Amino acid sequence: AISKCHADSSAFLKREKAFAYNLLGVIVDYQSNYDSALFYYFKSLALFKELNDKSGIMFRYNNIAVAYQHIGNYPLSIKYLLLGLENAPNIKSTARLMQNLGEVYLAMNEYTKAKASLLSALKLYNYDKDEPDNTGEAYVNEKLGNLYSTMGKADSAIYYLTNALQINERAQHKNGMAQDHYYFGLHYKNNNKWLEVVKEAKSAIDIHRQDGEKFGVAESTLLLAEAQYKLNKLDEALNYSLEGIALSREIKAKEPQKGYLELLVNIYASQKNFAKAYWHSQQLNILKDSLNNEEKIKQVANMEALYENDKKEKELALVRAQKLTADAQLSAEETKATLLIAGLGLVTLILVLG
């Protein structure tokens, strides 16, 4: 009994430590410190594996995948999402993983896979009417709105984005509300409605600032600066760009930095300040070279991950197909059994009446 007590105590402490590592990962992830987030997530994952906790393992795979997505390492993100799907303990967990998988495919411009994954996730979120997942449902609506906007289907884009914003407003989910305004801004950008872009970007910035979400502020400010440039409000565009690029450098967000440098080159050229335009173009080339080198390193490092992802996708598709076949066979056997019972009943009735 004492030995069992010690074992239980050890398992309890290990579980608490695993959750603590995960919480640390979430905190630094939220601060855009993705390398540290991955360090803590992998520490947490190792402990959950020792505990053989499938739910804990699945959620850590999901967190790891999201962190890799944030730094643009999409093959490794997909790898861990597929591993998560293998360990998903219930429908809602599967929905969350399918949602994130759809988002990664969307970032990779694989629209067919993105649409299929997102619609599957939305269907799963709506499966349990007694206990809906409003956060997940809103998120999938956002991504479907982005997808349809990119595809030029404005009515569908507005429909899904409106659904997302209404769900987040009812739940008072601040970060979700901010993201929805940003996505509306992106949609209006796609349609050259720059005054609408300004309105939506400002709403997103205000809410992100209240929530302390620096990356959201940086990307929304870039959208606002671009809109002001398109409206020929060069001084405002310049002020927002300088503010945004400083924040992007602070949080080491290279993609927003690239967008700001491109915009600053255009702004200074429009102001005929060619010296500053040239200097920023040089900075832009340096950053592009850095991003290209990082991308080449990632491509080489992730060739194995891409191969494994393809295998996992095929294996999961095979499992689903086998399940459908088994369900169909079971249904056919149940039908046969029902007919047999009915037939025996009819024979019995004839014998009794005869």
Side-chain angles (χ1 to χ4, degrees):
I2 292 172
S3 175
K4 184 178 184 300
C5 183
H6 280 307
D8 290 344
S9 175
S10 175
F12 173 79
L13 291 173
K14 188 174 288 186
R15 189 178 303 279
E16 291 300 301
K17 191 175 180 181
F19 280 121
Y21 275 130
N22 182 67
L23 181 58
L24 285 168
V26 170
I27 291 169
V28 293
D29 197 340
Y30 193 71
Q31 296 170 338
S32 304
N33 189 346
Y34 303 123
D35 289 339
S36 295
L38 285 166
F39 171 80
Y40 289 123
Y41 289 150
F42 275 113
K43 284 275 192 182
S44 180
L45 175 64
L47 291 171
F48 278 116
K49 282 184 174 179
E50 289 178 21
L51 292 164
N52 197 27
D53 183 329
K54 287 195 72 173
S55 180
I57 292 168
M58 184 278 296
F59 281 112
R60 260 23 80 198
Y61 279 143
N62 181 70
N63 289 356
I64 290 166
V66 171
Y68 275 126
Q69 180 195 347
H70 283 155
I71 59 178
N73 196 328
Y74 301 131
L76 280 180
S77 182
I78 291 173
K79 173 184 175 179
Y80 284 101
L81 287 170
L82 294 174
L83 286 169
L85 283 168
E86 289 183 348
N87 290 272
N90 52 47
I91 289 173
K92 286 187 179 178
S93 301
T94 303
R96 182 59 54 87
L97 291 159
M98 291 299 293
Q99 158 198 308
N100 290 338
L101 192 59
E103 184 177 1
V104 176
Y105 284 135
L106 184 57
M108 296 173 72
N109 298 325
E110 294 195 26
Y111 298 138
T112 302
K113 287 183 177 181
K115 182 180 175 182
S117 297
L118 292 169
L119 289 174
S120 294
L122 191 59
K123 184 178 179 182
L124 291 168
Y125 278 133
N126 290 326
Y127 181 82
D128 189 349
K129 297 295 183 184
D130 295 326
E131 194 179 345
D133 186 329
N134 291 332
T135 303
E137 187 180 350
Y139 196 85
V140 174
N141 273 284
E142 289 170 0
K143 297 308 170 188
L144 284 166
N146 293 341
L147 174 62
Y148 283 115
S149 180
T150 303
M151 295 170 69
K153 297 183 178 180
D155 290 343
S156 295
I158 293 293
Y159 170 79
Y160 283 109
L161 289 175
T162 301
N163 283 349
L165 182 57
Q166 288 175 346
I167 293 167
N168 281 321
E169 285 177 338
R170 284 197 297 269
Q172 279 299 293
H173 182 213
K174 296 292 186 180
N175 188 57
M177 290 161 59
Q179 283 300 112
D180 291 337
H181 284 295
Y182 174 73
Y183 293 140
F184 266 114
L186 286 181
H187 172 68
Y188 290 126
K189 173 186 171 180
N190 291 341
N191 292 275
N192 296 312
K193 295 182 178 180
W194 296 107
L195 288 173
E196 294 296 326
V197 174
V198 169
K199 175 186 170 185
E200 298 295 342
K202 284 184 175 180
S203 295
I205 291 166
D206 288 344
I207 300 171
H208 274 313
R209 277 187 178 145
Q210 293 169 23
D211 214 31
E213 220 294 295
K214 291 184 177 182
F215 183 84
V217 173
E219 67 175 0
S220 299
T221 302
L222 176 57
L223 186 61
L224 176 57
E226 185 178 358
Q228 299 290 15
Y229 173 74
K230 292 291 184 178
L231 292 167
N232 204 34
K233 296 182 178 180
L234 299 183
D235 289 340
E236 291 184 45
L238 179 58
N239 289 336
Y240 286 125
S241 295
L242 293 174
E243 177 189 324
I245 197 168
L247 179 59
S248 298
R249 284 169 176 157
E250 177 191 329
I251 62 175
K252 299 178 181 178
K254 288 188 178 180
E255 281 299 331
Q257 286 180 52
K258 177 172 168 282
Y260 281 116
L261 286 170
E262 289 170 342
L263 190 53
L264 284 165
V265 170
N266 291 330
I267 292 169
Y268 283 124
S270 297
Q271 292 178 331
K272 302 191 184 307
N273 190 337
F274 299 116
K276 285 193 175 181
Y278 177 70
W279 186 86
H280 281 87
S281 70
Q282 288 182 310
Q283 296 301 305
L284 177 61
N285 288 333
I286 292 169
L287 182 59
K288 282 182 176 179
D289 287 342
S290 172
L291 290 170
N292 287 337
N293 288 336
E294 287 177 10
E295 186 59 32
K296 286 175 184 176
I297 292 168
K298 275 189 222 171
Q299 286 174 357
V300 172
N302 292 327
M303 284 179 69
E304 182 180 353
L306 286 165
Y307 172 72
E308 292 297 326
N309 292 344
D310 187 56
K311 276 177 58 180
K312 291 286 183 191
E313 286 177 333
K314 288 176 180 175
E315 287 170 7
L316 287 169
L318 180 61
V319 168
R320 291 190 195 104
Q322 289 172 340
K323 187 177 184 304
L324 287 172
T325 302
D327 289 346
Q329 289 175 344
L330 180 61
S331 178
E333 288 171 5
E334 287 175 346
T335 301
K336 286 179 184 178
T338 301
L339 290 172
L340 179 60
I341 292 168
L344 289 172
L346 182 60
V347 170
T348 304
L349 181 61
I350 291 169
L351 291 172
V352 169
L353 293 174

